[in-house]
Amino acid sequence: MRLPDLEAWAIFAEVAEHRSFSAAAEAIGLSKATVSKAVSRLEAQLGQSLFHRTSRRLALTEAGRPLADHAARLLAEARTAEEMARHGASAPMGRVRLAVPMTFGVVNVAPLLPDFLAANPGIDIELHLSDARVDIVAEGFDIALRIADLPDSSLRARRLCSIQVHLVAAPSYLQRAGRPTHAGQLGEHRLLGYTNVAGPWRFKGPDGAEVSVRADGPLAANSGDALMPTLLAGLGIARLPGFILGDTLESGAVVEILPDWRPSPTALHLLTPPSTLRPARVEALIAFLTERLKD
């Protein structure tokens, strides 16, 4: 039985990540010719091209794209195994790449990190803040926190806690447009949409009735924070989590409407790549975040 050419797979993963033979060669300390030969060798073994090559750009072929994900996993697991062998029972060391939604990260995650870093001086964290949904495997993240109902995927997911979502409007909007008394009336109002969550707003009423409403109004944005000025100006109704609303509910700057109609439940999840083989530094941060964010 012929063994797989693991070196060629690893080099292919680096070229796919850097989108350049030269950049990959520099990153792994090999000559460009060696890198090119390894990819050509792998293409010959597979019987198909992995890259479209031109004088100006290098792009994965249709066949190369899914194979690049597999190659990245192979390389990551090999590096993890080496690290585990090197460090053994020693204190966790190295960098952890963590992806977190923007506002939740600033408000709820960043304040926790000093405690973790002080307790784990050998670990450093690269914190990526964005409301866009990242591709954990393709972009090389060790951990991602995501607030959503998760679709089925190959990622490993752990539910940490529920996230309370509020349907709110400024008093000035309600004085002008009237206060809805049934979720079905929301279609008659100006709704501020959050574009990172696909589909209509869904609610369940006190009698079990379910209503779906398409968010259609003067502003849609991929950041909940970006909706706040328009919400506070009294120009529409928004559906936002408490960590974005902050103290605006308590101060009366916005008021909750339709409290008997529950929006679709959502939760905070911790996601990791499919492999169960993880470096000690990643396991340490997973344990810390799980404990500190469970409530």
Side-chain angles (χ1 to χ4, degrees):
M1 178 179 176
R2 183 176 182 178
L3 293 175
D5 188 344
L6 296 179
E7 180 186 48
W9 280 103
I11 290 173
F12 166 54
E14 290 286 354
V15 176
E17 178 182 351
H18 290 88
R19 293 293 193 271
S20 164
F21 284 99
S22 299
E26 182 177 351
I28 57 182
L30 297 175
S31 69
K32 181 180 177 181
T34 300
V35 169
S36 181
K37 287 178 182 177
V39 172
S40 296
R41 187 169 72 241
L42 184 59
E43 289 177 324
Q45 292 167 1
L46 298 174
Q48 52 192 332
S49 296
L50 299 174
F51 293 103
H52 294 299
R53 301 165 172 86
T54 69
S55 59
R56 295 187 176 182
R57 69 188 293 264
L58 185 72
L60 287 162
T61 63
E62 192 70 24
R65 279 195 290 272
L67 292 176
D69 289 340
H70 288 294
R73 293 190 197 114
L74 286 172
L75 182 57
E77 292 198 7
R79 284 173 170 162
T80 298
E82 286 186 350
E83 180 180 319
M84 293 172 67
R86 279 198 308 271
H87 297 301
S90 64
M93 297 178 62
R95 171 162 295 190
V96 181
R97 300 192 70 225
L98 171 63
V100 185
M102 176 66 74
T103 306
F104 185 82
V106 171
V107 174
N108 295 91
V109 177
L112 303 179
L113 297 183
D115 288 348
F116 178 83
L117 295 172
N120 297 273
I123 300 176
D124 59 272
I125 296 172
E126 180 183 331
L127 180 61
H128 176 83
L129 297 171
S130 173
D131 285 340
R133 181 170 294 189
V134 299
D135 186 327
I136 298 174
V137 174
E139 298 181 46
F141 287 103
D142 300 295
I143 304 170
L145 297 180
R146 190 168 291 168
I147 299 171
D149 293 324
L150 297 180
D152 292 337
S153 76
S154 61
L155 300 177
R156 301 176 66 83
R158 179 181 305 181
R159 187 183 186 280
L160 298 185
C161 65
S162 297
I163 296 292
Q164 189 170 8
V165 177
H166 304 269
L167 187 69
V168 294
S172 59
Y173 175 83
L174 298 177
Q175 290 169 6
R176 186 177 65 256
R179 180 188 290 263
T181 58
H182 188 283
Q185 297 171 354
L186 288 172
E188 303 167 10
H189 286 262
R190 295 166 68 80
L191 308 181
L192 308 179
Y194 179 61
T195 58
N196 279 332
V197 176
W201 293 0
R202 292 185 171 86
F203 300 89
K204 181 174 286 189
D207 59 354
E210 296 184 0
V211 171
S212 296
V213 181
R214 187 168 68 91
D216 188 11
L219 178 65
N222 63 357
S223 165
D225 282 308
L227 300 177
M228 287 299 295
T230 302
L231 173 68
L232 294 171
L235 298 178
I237 295 172
R239 189 182 64 163
L240 292 170
F243 63 83
I244 287 180
L245 291 170
D247 62 0
T248 57
L249 271 170
E250 184 178 348
S251 69
V254 300
V255 295
E256 191 153 15
I257 58 178
L258 298 176
D260 294 334
W261 286 82
R262 299 189 305 276
S264 296
T266 191
L268 174 67
H269 295 83
L270 186 149
L271 306 180
T272 56
S275 173
T276 58
L277 187 64
R278 291 191 288 256
R281 64 180 184 273
V282 176
E283 292 286 6
L285 185 55
I286 289 173
F288 175 83
L289 293 173
T290 300
E291 175 62 26
R292 298 293 289 270
L293 294 173
K294 66 182 180 181
D295 298 324

